[in-house]
């Protein structure tokens, strides 16, 4: 019977019931432990990149490290982690992300904030254009970016996708590379950043690329704080070139109380809630990967170390 | 060549170019006038219920009165209006309504307001449930209600539809009548009212029906102000039984400055912008009906005087 080390102590309460249930549903008999006096006895490590465990070398027999997080940038460079590393692609997390992105895209599009904060009780019937006249650039076309692009298209937003490497997605204009990024940004009134954090994506939105956007564009960042150069964004917001930013991810979290994003009139902070992992569905993904490992089948969502995600 | 009287002077600027273009596209040669010294020479009246024209008796030869508004409650009881009356069902108006309803449903669902107005800079990671766990009642299953129901279902909101008369819509639970209304409201965390204003729908949401909703439910009213008993809603909001209301339509518009909705902490007012008629697409609907009238084909969106819409 495989031994599963649940090595994300802060999350154990969420998975105490969900993980055994998911394993049972997957037909996998396993022993779940939260401590492993003998690391060599562990077959699978269920992990969160914030967990204290940092040295994976003693887990000589472990068949996989199964992350509960989608983003693995904190551990992908860990030299002791030589086991197969799988990231979380949780269908319910995707749904939550789609809700956040579509909701905040519509909020910007409809100009909701001036109705929500309207101390003068102004009855101003200025009407926004239709979504079909509000182009969106989706930076990142992984599971999350693609799901969000599809949901925005269903509401008639014209969506242009961009990714570092070429993608071919039916019904979606997909651009890539430097020239593609420039084209995607020049035409966008709303930009959504849903890229993994890698050395190549860090500060993707910087003074130069932000300047490509049309006057008044809005930015939604539910991806990773490091995708945006904070100082460049603040400068672009200050001079009104960027009309608004709704940010869910930050370089330091919780966002420090003195960070200028908090009080900036053109910034709304949401506290890294766009894509909450849902234990019930995440546990099913973990259980499926353990089932696959036991059956000798390929793991789902295996991280490519060279790409970093 | 038919004579078209454009009898909505306040809207003429919006249609000066759009209406001739739409008629040309429809292959209809017509004379458009904004004054008709000889009412008996008029073949079609393009109309807005707010227009000064109230006596339709002199238009003895008019084949139809074509409303630019979806809601015709102000003129449906006009005894002088004996000509066929068509209301506006503008595909772009429908799109705008879907955007407003989906946007504000997601705003409530995600609890956006506490991030938009967060003077204490509180980093509170309480996460909402998924849309799949947020039941919505759609009151009204006409063109607009149905389009909104479909868009909410696409985001996995469980939607229950209700209409006065029975409807059969594949993939949507459709309830009707008094018992159906009770069932729809008891299960709903978000209620959308998209019914026409008729004597039967006036005050549909009142003290008794609001009490059926679960504690904390939110109400979105982009339909008609008269669908809701204002005093009953304010009382339910005051005691917290209704958690929030976002209202786009009111008994008196603009909403008077002293109306308690403006300052109520649980109410957001949007200034009747949920469903703006879009001249380019509305003109195409008018032109198509004139084409049909000239070709002897049945009119689109003919109002049933008995039902009132």
């Amino acid at each position: 019977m495989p031994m599963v080390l649940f090595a994300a102590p802060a999350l154990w309460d969420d998975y105490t019931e969900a993980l055994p249930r998911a394993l049972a549903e997957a037909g996998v008999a396993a022993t779940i432990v939260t401590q492993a006096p003998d690391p060599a006895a562990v077959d699978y490590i269920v992990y969160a990149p914030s967990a204290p465990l940092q040295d994976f070398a003693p887990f000589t027999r472990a068949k996989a490290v199964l992350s509960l997080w989608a983003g693995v940038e904190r551990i992908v460079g860990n030299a002791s982690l030589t086991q197969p590393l799988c990231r979380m692609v949780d269908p319910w997390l995707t749904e939550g992300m789609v809700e956040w992105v579509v909701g905040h895209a519509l909020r910007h599009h409809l100009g909701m904030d001036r109705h929500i904060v309207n101390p003068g009780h102004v009855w101003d019937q200025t009407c926004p254009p239709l979504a079909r006249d509000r182009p969106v650039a989706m930076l990142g076309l992984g599971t999350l970016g693609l799901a969000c692009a599809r949901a925005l298209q269903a509401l008639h937003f014209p969506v242009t996708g961009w990714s570092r490497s070429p993608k071919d997605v039916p019904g979606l204009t997909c651009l890539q590379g430097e020239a593609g990024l420039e084209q995607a940004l020049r035409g966008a009134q709303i930009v959504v950043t849903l890229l993994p954090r890698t050395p190549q994506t860090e500060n993707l939105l910087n003074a130069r690329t932000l300047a490509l956007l049309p006057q008044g564009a809005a930015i939604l960042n539910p991806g990773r704080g490091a995708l945006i150069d904070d100082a460049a964004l603040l400068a672009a917001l200050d001079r009104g070139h960027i009309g608004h930013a709704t940010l869910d991810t930050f370089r330091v979290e919780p966002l420090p109380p003195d960070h200028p994003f908090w009080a900036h009139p053109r910034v709304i902070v949401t506290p890294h809630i766009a894509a909450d992992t849902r234990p019930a569905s995440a546990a099913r993904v973990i259980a499926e990967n353990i089932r696959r490992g036991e059956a000798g089948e390929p793991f789902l969502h295996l991280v490519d170390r060279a790409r970093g995600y």
Side-chain angles (χ1 to χ4, degrees), chain A:
Chain A
M1 197 182 298
M3 178 179 289
V4 177
L5 171 63
F6 193 93
L11 296 173
W12 179 233
D13 278 358
D14 293 341
Y15 288 89
T16 313
E17 291 175 17
L19 188 54
R21 191 186 313 124
L23 286 164
E25 282 170 10
V28 175
T31 306
I32 305 172
V33 298
T34 56
Q35 302 288 334
D38 177 11
V42 170
D43 295 286
Y44 299 92
I45 303 171
V46 178
Y47 188 66
S50 62
L53 172 59
Q54 293 297 328
D55 181 9
F56 293 85
F59 297 90
T60 50
R61 235 188 51 190
K63 297 173 195 166
V65 175
L66 306 171
S67 174
L68 292 165
W69 291 16
V72 290
E73 67 268 15
R74 287 204 210 173
I75 45 163
V76 77
N78 183 325
S80 76
L81 204 172
T82 55
Q83 301 88 346
L85 169 64
C86 299
R87 61 197 200 87
M88 179 52 63
V89 178
D90 169 4
W92 287 5
L93 181 149
T94 305
E95 280 187 26
M97 178 62 86
V98 167
E99 293 170 15
W100 190 96
V101 168
V102 172
H104 285 282
L106 283 170
R107 176 184 139 241
H108 280 293
H109 166 61
L110 296 174
M112 283 185 197
D113 293 12
R114 68 193 173 94
H115 304 302
I116 296 167
V117 182
N118 183 7
H121 303 166
V122 178
W123 180 272
D124 171 6
Q125 291 195 292
T126 309
C127 221
L130 288 172
R132 59 171 62 241
D133 295 316
R134 184 82 74 184
V136 176
M138 181 65 60
L139 307 188
L141 295 171
T143 306
L144 297 176
L146 212 47
C148 292
R150 291 298 193 208
L152 291 167
Q153 284 184 314
L155 291 164
H156 305 287
F157 284 101
V159 181
T160 300
W162 180 85
S163 51
R164 289 215 313 122
S165 48
K167 288 263 164 89
D168 185 14
V169 181
L172 180 67
T173 302
C174 296
L175 305 174
Q176 58 275 325
E178 272 300 309
L181 182 62
E182 182 168 333
Q183 184 183 336
L185 294 178
R186 281 197 194 284
Q189 292 181 22
I190 298 175
V191 179
V192 184
T193 48
L194 265 171
L195 292 149
R197 178 183 178 170
T198 69
Q200 289 75 35
T201 62
E202 184 151 2
N203 291 331
L204 187 81
L205 292 187
N206 52 44
R208 183 182 62 79
T209 51
L210 289 169
L212 297 170
L213 285 162
Q215 174 81 19
I219 291 176
L220 308 182
N221 183 16
R224 282 288 178 259
L227 301 175
I228 302 183
D229 176 336
D230 288 6
L233 175 58
L234 285 163
L237 288 161
D238 283 341
R239 66 175 192 277
H241 179 69
I242 301 299
H244 203 281
T246 296
L247 308 173
D248 186 61
T249 54
F250 307 91
R251 286 167 189 271
V252 178
E253 294 183 4
L255 186 66
D258 60 347
H259 195 289
F261 283 156
W262 276 120
H264 200 288
R266 297 181 191 270
V267 176
I268 294 299
V269 169
T270 68
H272 205 148
I273 53 168
D276 205 26
T277 296
R278 312 281 167 165
S281 57
R284 284 198 284 267
V285 175
I286 299 289
E288 169 62 11
N289 259 341
I290 294 174
R291 188 198 67 74
R292 285 168 169 254
E294 292 305 287
E297 298 175 18
F299 289 114
L300 295 174
H301 318 311
L302 201 58
V303 170
D304 177 338
R305 306 299 172 97
R307 290 195 310 176
Y309 58 93

